[in-house]
Amino acid sequence: MATAEQADVIRDLLGAYRLSAQVYPEVRHCGSWSLSTSGSRKCAFHLVVRGTCWLHLSEGAPTRLDAGDLVMVPRDASHLLCGSARPVVAPSSADDGPELSITCGHLEFGDTRANPILAALPEIVIVRPRDESERERVAGLTALLRMEARGTQPGTGIVLDKLAELLFAMVLRAHMESPGEKRGFLAALTDSRVGRALAAIHRHPDNHWHMDALAALAGMSRTAFAVGFGELVGAPPMHYVAALRMHRAADLLKDPRNSVAAVAAHLGYRSEAAFRRAFKRLKGFGPGALRRAHEETS
């Protein structure tokens, strides 16, 4: 189970990526059939509402999926769902055979940067309810997703996006609690030493962080910390700190009530000029250009 510090970092990152969803309420199949969402370049999910089907990947044996099982494909890996343990080459519309109901959809993360959480997940994540209580939670959430996807009420899109965020969080929690080895950002987050420094950076991005302080938090030498952090997170510690600050700054600057000077002070910069230079160096454009672009698209 994720600690409170780990949960805070995950919540912080998920909030930054502005997740949105497209849901296909419920599709029924019987006889010979196959289904794939490969090629969407989005994070796909499939929930088996009723019946049994098989998940086929490009390599390895097929995996049986039963009612209540949830499959997530974080990075659009090639996959095929069908009604038999052998891949269906020529689906038939015949009505014979057991019926299956499945809800599918796509999750899209609004930020164009590489998403460290998606990158750290395996090609396929399968969530199997461990007991009736968990089965009811998954079924209840997906029932709400299906209802909202069919709805036309004001605010339906906002509700659907929030439900999709809950679904993704549920999948992420299941993966974090699974016994398998973690990788990438999630490995860094669960590392007993690097994870402490990572959580502190997210908790206080306005601190005047430097390598010695972060290494001390991790209980490591400066060199060992720099190497360990870089290998797990995929970026040097101070680069990560700077990128996080600028991402927070970009969100704050989109609100016209926040002046550039106020954002600079909030993120720990000693002067507005220093903040402007740092922002342009990392983003490639100044705070004013970001504001103008946001106003044009709002």
Side-chain angles (χ1 to χ4, degrees), residues 1 5 8 16 30 60 68 85 88-89 92 101 105 144 178 183 198 208 221 233 238 265 274 295 297:
M1 182 177 294
E5 286 189 339
D8 285 343
C30 60
V88 175
V89 178
S92 167
S101 294
L144 286 172
S178 67
R183 67 178 193 178
L198 193 58
H208 297 293
S221 71
V233 177
M238 301 317 298
E295 288 169 0
T297 56

Coordinates of all heavy atoms in Angstrom, one line a residue, residues 1 5 8 16 30 60 68 85 88-89 92 101 105 144 178 183 198 208 221 233 238 265 274 295 297:
M1 N 0.8 -1.2 0.0 CA 0.0 0.0 0.0 C 0.9 1.2 0.0 O 1.9 1.3 0.7 CB -0.9 0.0 1.2 CG -1.9 1.2 1.3 SD -2.9 1.1 2.7 CE -3.9 -0.4 2.3
E5 N 3.1 9.9 1.9 CA 4.0 10.7 1.1 C 3.9 10.3 -0.3 O 3.9 11.1 -1.2 CB 5.4 10.6 1.7 CG 5.6 11.4 2.9 CD 7.1 11.4 3.3 OE1 7.9 10.5 2.8 OE2 7.5 12.3 4.1
D8 N 0.7 11.5 -1.9 CA 0.7 12.9 -2.2 C 1.5 13.2 -3.5 O 1.0 14.1 -4.3 CB 1.4 13.7 -1.1 CG 0.6 13.8 0.2 OD1 -0.6 13.5 0.1 OD2 1.1 14.0 1.3
A16 N -1.6 17.4 -12.3 CA -0.9 18.2 -13.3 C -1.2 17.8 -14.7 O -1.0 18.6 -15.6 CB 0.6 18.1 -13.0
C30 N -21.2 -12.1 -29.0 CA -21.4 -13.5 -28.9 C -20.9 -14.2 -30.1 O -20.6 -13.5 -31.2 CB -22.9 -13.8 -28.6 SG -24.0 -13.3 -29.9
G60 N 3.7 -14.4 -25.9 CA 3.2 -15.1 -24.7 C 1.8 -15.8 -24.9 O 1.1 -15.6 -25.9
G68 N -15.7 -8.7 -14.1 CA -15.1 -7.9 -13.0 C -13.6 -7.6 -13.2 O -13.1 -6.7 -12.6
A85 N -9.5 -18.8 -26.8 CA -8.1 -18.9 -26.4 C -7.2 -18.8 -27.7 O -6.0 -18.5 -27.6 CB -7.8 -20.1 -25.7
V88 N -9.0 -14.8 -33.0 CA -10.0 -14.9 -34.1 C -9.6 -14.1 -35.3 O -9.3 -12.9 -35.3 CB -11.3 -14.3 -33.5 CG1 -12.4 -14.3 -34.6 CG2 -11.8 -15.1 -32.3
V89 N -9.4 -14.8 -36.4 CA -8.9 -14.2 -37.7 C -10.1 -13.6 -38.4 O -10.0 -12.5 -39.0 CB -8.2 -15.3 -38.5 CG1 -7.8 -14.7 -39.8 CG2 -7.0 -15.9 -37.8
S92 N -17.3 -13.6 -36.7 CA -18.6 -13.9 -37.3 C -19.7 -13.1 -36.5 O -19.5 -12.9 -35.3 CB -18.9 -15.4 -37.2 OG -20.2 -15.7 -37.4
S101 N -20.3 -9.0 -22.3 CA -20.5 -7.6 -22.2 C -19.3 -6.9 -21.7 O -18.7 -7.4 -20.7 CB -21.7 -7.2 -21.3 OG -22.9 -7.7 -21.8
G105 N -12.7 2.1 -23.2 CA -12.5 3.5 -23.2 C -11.1 3.9 -23.4 O -10.2 3.0 -23.4
L144 N -21.0 3.9 -13.2 CA -21.2 5.4 -13.2 C -20.5 5.9 -14.5 O -21.1 6.8 -15.2 CB -20.5 6.0 -12.0 CG -21.2 5.9 -10.7 CD1 -20.3 6.4 -9.6 CD2 -22.5 6.7 -10.7
S178 N 0.9 -4.7 -5.9 CA 1.3 -6.1 -6.4 C 2.7 -6.4 -6.0 O 3.5 -5.5 -5.8 CB 1.1 -6.1 -8.0 OG 2.1 -5.2 -8.5
R183 N 9.4 -0.3 -11.6 CA 10.4 0.3 -12.4 C 10.2 1.8 -12.6 O 9.2 2.3 -12.2 CB 10.5 -0.3 -13.8 CG 9.2 0.0 -14.6 CD 9.3 -0.7 -16.0 NE 8.3 -0.1 -16.9 CZ 8.2 -0.5 -18.2 NH1 9.0 -1.4 -18.7 NH2 7.2 0.1 -18.9
L198 N 12.4 12.5 -3.2 CA 11.4 12.8 -4.2 C 10.1 13.4 -3.6 O 9.5 14.4 -4.1 CB 11.1 11.6 -5.0 CG 10.3 11.7 -6.3 CD1 11.0 12.6 -7.3 CD2 10.1 10.3 -6.9
H208 N 14.9 26.1 -1.6 CA 16.1 26.3 -2.3 C 17.0 25.0 -2.3 O 18.0 25.0 -1.6 CB 16.9 27.5 -1.8 CG 16.2 28.8 -1.9 ND1 15.9 29.4 -3.1 CD2 15.7 29.6 -0.9 CE1 15.2 30.5 -2.9 NE2 15.1 30.7 -1.6
S221 N 25.5 9.5 0.0 CA 26.5 10.4 -0.4 C 26.0 11.2 -1.6 O 25.1 10.8 -2.3 CB 27.8 9.7 -0.8 OG 27.6 9.0 -2.0
V233 N 14.7 7.9 -11.8 CA 13.7 9.0 -12.2 C 13.9 9.3 -13.7 O 12.9 9.7 -14.4 CB 13.8 10.2 -11.4 CG1 12.9 11.3 -11.8 CG2 13.5 9.9 -9.9
M238 N 18.6 18.1 -9.8 CA 18.3 19.5 -10.0 C 17.5 19.8 -11.2 O 16.8 20.8 -11.3 CB 19.6 20.3 -9.9 CG 20.4 20.0 -8.6 SD 19.4 20.0 -7.1 CE 18.7 21.7 -7.1
A265 N 7.7 34.5 -6.5 CA 7.9 34.5 -5.1 C 7.3 33.1 -4.5 O 7.9 32.5 -3.6 CB 7.2 35.7 -4.4
A274 N 14.9 36.7 -12.4 CA 15.5 35.4 -12.3 C 14.5 34.3 -12.7 O 14.8 33.3 -13.4 CB 16.1 35.1 -10.9
E295 N -5.0 32.5 -23.2 CA -6.1 33.3 -23.4 C -6.8 33.1 -24.7 O -8.0 33.1 -24.9 CB -5.7 34.8 -23.3 CG -5.4 35.2 -21.8 CD -4.7 36.5 -21.7 OE1 -4.5 37.2 -22.8 OE2 -4.4 37.0 -20.6
T297 N -6.9 30.3 -26.4 CA -7.5 29.0 -26.5 C -8.6 28.8 -25.5 O -9.3 27.8 -25.5 CB -6.5 27.8 -26.3 OG1 -5.8 28.0 -25.0 CG2 -5.5 27.9 -27.4

